[in-house]
Amino acid sequence: MGNAVGQSAGYTALYEGWKADPEAFWMKAAEAIDWDEKPSKALFDKGDNLYEWFADAKCNTCWNAVDRHVEAGRGEQTAIIYDSPITQTKREISFVELRNRVATLAGALRAKGIEKGDRVIIYMPMVPEALEAMLACARLGAVHSVVFGGFAASELAVRIDDATPKAIIAASCGLEPGRVVHYKPLLDGAIEMAEHKPEFCVIFQREQEVAELTPGRDYNWHGFQYGVEPADCVPVEGNHPAYILYTSGTTGAPKGVIRHTAGHMVALNWSMKNIYNVDPGDVFWAASDVGWVVGHSYIAYGPLIHGNTTIVFEGKPVGTPDAGTFWRVISEHKVKSFFTAPTAFRAVKRVDPKGEFVGKYDLSGLKTVYLAGERADPDTIVWAQDQLKVPVIDHWWQTETGWAIAANPVGVEMLPVKLGSPSVPMPGYDVRILDEAGHEMPAGELGAIAVKLPLPPGTLPNLWNAEARFQKSYLNTFPGYYETGDAGMIDEDGYLYIMARTDDVINVAGHRLSTGGMEEVLASHPDVAECAVIGVSDELKGQLPVGFVCLSNGVNRPHEEIVKECVTLVREKIGPVAAFKLACVVERLPKTRSGKILRATMVSIADGKTFKMPATIDDPAILDEIKVALQSIGFAK
């Protein structure tokens, strides 16, 4: 059995070994983690389809990510490389320096009353201090919730009310090419809107914009750390929440995904070698943001727990300063494994289709590229393979799972790449394709993608303070299974293909956004009687939202004016990340006789695909009106 868990066997032996004895598999993987008290067993079945991993262990994430490497003599190794082409800054932080900075920050938080179980919201851009804030919370056993820096005040307020943080750690600003994003006014606005008020805020003042502090509530990042006693790591239970991360719900309130401490460490550490094929000391770069799950798993925790050097990059694939930025960073910092979203490569390809920038850099150290965050279209993969001359591996996972459901386990065995497929299920994931009644579909046929319970370590055990919603969102549709919300198929070789979302969450440049949320905003416009938002295919961003609004009777203002106001409204309420720029005024929306808007049909028209007239449609003539409206803004060609 030991062999199947180890590196020497191939994928099939690994996966079958896990299936034959999941308990032994995960207990073996747990040996790589430092425990204050070892777990008595891997899986704890709580009943009611709820499971926890290594629940009775005692451990600390910050110890495993930082201190243990110093104790083991790797203190001088670089832990974090900060590279910000926007501010022209580069700096390296060793493990020993990171330990000292995090212990001091944790000590300062503790002196202000933060203790185990308290929630702390982190609202920061891509600076090393964001990782230090996460690790300082972990050191104390406080539960952090990172909110993407620059998210609209209303979105931040909802999260403040749900997580009820004792403190908020924020930066004065974020930086985009050519503009400063003012975080502090957004934070102040959110606290004003929220029912729950944090006891205090810590503001990291960036030199690009120094924010005004609210006396008695706000503390300066440096000032409040002065002269404090550094904090030691606080051991917590294996099932203690490490963090809460909010993901777009299809309706209204975002869902607070919880990550338990022990399973999180075991799974991420296992993935670093088996999936990403890096050894301790290697440089690993995930070009994401700490506000998203990829940033949590593979900028902050995974690489550091495994003893890798991680890169915190503040820039964009193009324009900071050019389409060669990725290649410069990879060559300069000797990146071995690189992880990004397909949308980033599409942006680079658009500016530099022939790869002229690629030739300017020595990329000989780069061994593998990983894509995730949205469907990787074959064109983009082929382009990247041709340019970089290394394997380009698509893999698939979710905020909820925290690490790959399906991947190519490069550190175990490089399987043949099939374009359009994220390859095969990872150990821990028993993936099935089900029809609406929950029966398994034959190979090659489309159905709902579900994972047989229990989910593996590192995945969500529940939602924050919302168990009924957890059951309803993920467990009720197919009893005994986790419902991924994606549709797809498995081919005769066992490769998985992800075809579509089964609900209305669209993927804009790797950001999962709810069209329902955008509809709520449009509906709030005084002249809008009814509206729909759909995701249309976009070469660069994967999907883009397009809005359709029906005006209230008697409104006779110019349509351009109303559309412009709608666009501004979405930008204010959801933020620029929604990329909402296109809307058109229509007389009416296509519906079923029971009044359901036929969004999928509208998407087909926009994308110029053939479709079957829905049997339940109320008035087929409306589809022609929609087509004309779409053509007026450049779709439905």
Side-chain angles (χ1 to χ4, degrees):
M1 172 65 221
N3 184 34
V5 180
Q7 226 66 83
S8 52
Y11 164 73
T12 308
L14 178 82
Y15 192 77
E16 292 306 321
W18 156 71
K19 229 171 180 172
D21 194 345
E23 185 74 22
F25 182 93
W26 291 116
M27 285 302 274
K28 177 100 175 71
E31 289 171 16
I33 296 301
D34 277 8
W35 303 99
D36 293 270
E37 290 173 29
K38 286 191 168 157
S40 65
K41 59 177 185 168
L43 184 67
F44 291 74
D45 183 343
K46 314 281 289 176
D48 225 9
N49 286 320
L50 300 175
Y51 297 90
E52 295 177 348
W53 291 92
F54 313 111
D56 65 355
K58 287 268 179 34
C59 53
N60 183 282
T61 304
C62 186
W63 172 271
N64 276 281
V66 185
D67 302 60
R68 70 166 172 163
H69 304 308
V70 178
E71 302 289 317
R74 308 171 69 89
E76 296 312 310
Q77 183 197 311
T78 301
I80 297 171
I81 296 171
Y82 173 51
D83 189 310
S84 167
I86 293 186
T87 62
Q88 307 269 307
T89 311
K90 289 176 204 171
R91 129 177 122 82
E92 298 193 4
I93 300 171
S94 67
F95 273 108
V96 74
E97 188 189 347
L98 183 61
R99 183 200 58 191
N100 297 345
R101 293 169 72 100
V102 170
T104 307
L105 178 58
L109 290 169
R110 187 180 57 190
K112 287 267 178 286
I114 298 294
E115 47 197 58
K116 181 187 157 189
D118 288 338
R119 272 83 56 213
V120 176
I121 279 183
I122 298 172
Y123 185 67
M124 294 182 92
M126 284 297 288
V127 290
E129 287 77 8
L131 269 64
E132 290 166 13
M134 294 164 80
L135 291 163
C137 290
R139 195 173 190 85
L140 299 172
V143 183
H144 66 66
S145 186
V146 182
V147 177
F148 181 73
F151 238 22
S154 53
E155 292 280 353
L156 178 54
V158 170
R159 289 155 175 77
I160 291 172
D161 281 336
D162 194 72
T164 60
K166 193 182 268 190
I168 299 181
I169 303 177
S172 55
C173 66
L175 303 168
E176 293 284 324
R179 70 186 180 102
V180 173
V181 182
H182 317 290
Y183 284 9
K184 187 59 166 52
L186 291 167
L187 173 65
D188 292 342
I191 292 173
E192 202 168 308
M193 274 178 222
E195 310 243 312
H196 172 85
K197 310 293 181 193
E199 289 177 20
F200 67 97
C201 298
V202 181
I203 308 298
F204 175 63
Q205 298 277 26
R206 303 191 69 183
E207 57 194 64
Q208 289 75 21
E209 177 170 276
V210 176
E212 193 178 343
L213 301 185
T214 304
R217 185 194 77 192
D218 298 343
Y219 295 89
N220 181 314
W221 169 278
H222 292 290
F224 107 121
Q225 296 187 53
Y226 182 74
V228 300
E229 185 72 23
D232 285 331
C233 296
V234 176
V236 299
E237 300 75 18
N239 61 359
H240 180 72
Y243 68 74
I244 303 164
L245 180 58
Y246 289 93
T247 180
S248 300
T250 43
T251 50
K255 296 185 286 208
V257 169
I258 308 175
R259 201 78 67 211
H260 280 176
T261 301
H264 180 232
M265 289 198 279
V266 172
L268 291 184
N269 182 74
W270 183 89
S271 73
M272 291 307 297
K273 176 61 187 170
N274 291 281
I275 297 176
Y276 301 106
N277 198 24
V278 285
D279 296 305
D282 287 339
V283 181
F284 179 86
W285 179 23
S288 178
D289 189 283
V290 286
W292 312 125
V293 71
V294 172
H296 283 61
S297 295
Y298 294 111
I299 296 174
Y301 291 116
L304 294 177
I305 289 166
H306 194 247
N308 292 104
T309 298
T310 189
I311 296 186
V312 172
F313 171 75
E314 187 182 39
K316 290 276 183 276
V318 295
T320 61
D322 54 41
T325 293
F326 276 3
W327 323 133
R328 172 189 68 76
V329 171
I330 289 167
S331 121
E332 209 169 287
H333 304 304
K334 303 186 173 44
V335 173
K336 184 177 172 187
S337 276
F338 175 52
F339 180 162
T340 190
T343 189
F345 275 1
R346 285 197 289 266
V348 173
K349 175 182 164 200
R350 193 176 185 177
V351 176
D352 185 21
K354 295 195 170 69
E356 284 162 18
F357 279 102
V358 182
K360 299 182 181 178
Y361 298 96
D362 171 13
L363 301 180
S364 56
L366 180 67
K367 296 293 177 253
T368 329
V369 170
Y370 295 84
L371 298 175
E374 61 193 316
R375 231 183 123 254
D377 54 295
D379 286 359
T380 298
I381 293 181
V382 170
W383 178 84
Q385 285 170 341
D386 291 349
Q387 297 303 331
L388 302 173
K389 314 277 188 277
V390 297
V392 177
I393 307 291
D394 184 22
H395 63 320
W396 172 63
W397 45 295
Q398 303 177 318
T399 300
E400 288 85 350
T401 67
W403 62 287
I405 304 170
N408 197 323
V410 180
V412 179
E413 174 189 14
M414 172 81 80
L415 299 172
V417 169
K418 290 193 186 193
L419 290 179
S421 167
S423 302
V424 293
M426 289 296 93
Y429 295 98
D430 183 350
V431 180
R432 310 284 177 97
I433 308 295
L434 307 176
D435 66 14
E436 284 174 5
H439 304 123
E440 271 193 71
M441 304 288 285
E445 289 197 27
L446 192 65
I449 306 174
V451 182
K452 207 167 182 329
L453 296 174
L455 290 176
T459 57
L460 86 167
N462 213 323
L463 291 174
W464 179 253
N465 286 342
E467 191 175 303
R469 192 172 177 199
F470 173 67
Q471 297 274 358
K472 184 173 175 289
S473 298
Y474 304 107
L475 306 181
N476 289 354
T477 309
F478 304 114
Y481 290 89
Y482 165 81
E483 179 191 7
T484 66
D486 280 302
M489 62 161 200
I490 294 178
D491 72 10
E492 58 291 344
D493 299 327
Y495 278 61
L496 186 64
Y497 290 77
I498 319 298
M499 312 308 277
R501 284 298 294 170
T502 52
D503 60 16
D504 70 354
V505 172
I506 62 168
N507 204 316
V508 182
H511 307 318
R512 273 180 64 195
L513 296 159
S514 165
T515 52
M518 293 181 216
E519 288 174 1
E520 285 174 25
V521 173
L522 294 183
S524 71
H525 188 289
D527 295 348
V528 172
E530 194 178 26
C531 65
V533 175
I534 61 169
V536 301
S537 298
D538 177 73
E539 214 178 297
L540 185 64
K541 293 189 183 248
Q543 283 180 298
L544 276 181
V546 171
F548 298 84
V549 296
C550 304
L551 303 182
S552 308
N553 287 344
V555 173
N556 52 13
R557 300 170 51 218
H559 290 177
E560 307 79 52
E561 239 173 75
I562 294 169
V563 165
K564 216 166 147 185
E565 289 163 9
C566 286
V567 169
T568 306
L569 210 54
V570 173
R571 198 184 171 87
E572 271 170 20
K573 291 278 189 286
I574 292 172
V577 71
F580 186 90
K581 299 187 179 76
L582 299 166
C584 45
V585 176
V586 292
E587 279 303 314
R588 51 209 182 134
L589 296 168
K591 290 180 183 176
T592 63
R593 285 190 280 277
S594 64
K596 269 199 142 109
I597 297 172
L598 293 161
R599 292 187 182 78
T601 309
M602 294 166 78
V603 171
S604 297
I605 295 172
D607 292 346
K609 294 201 172 88
T610 49
F611 61 92
K612 208 167 87 219
M613 180 70 68
T616 54
I617 192 164
D618 192 14
D619 179 358
I622 301 179
L623 295 179
D624 291 325
E625 300 169 21
I626 294 294
K627 186 171 184 176
V628 170
L630 278 162
Q631 285 171 337
S632 76
I633 53 171
F635 292 94
K637 296 184 182 65

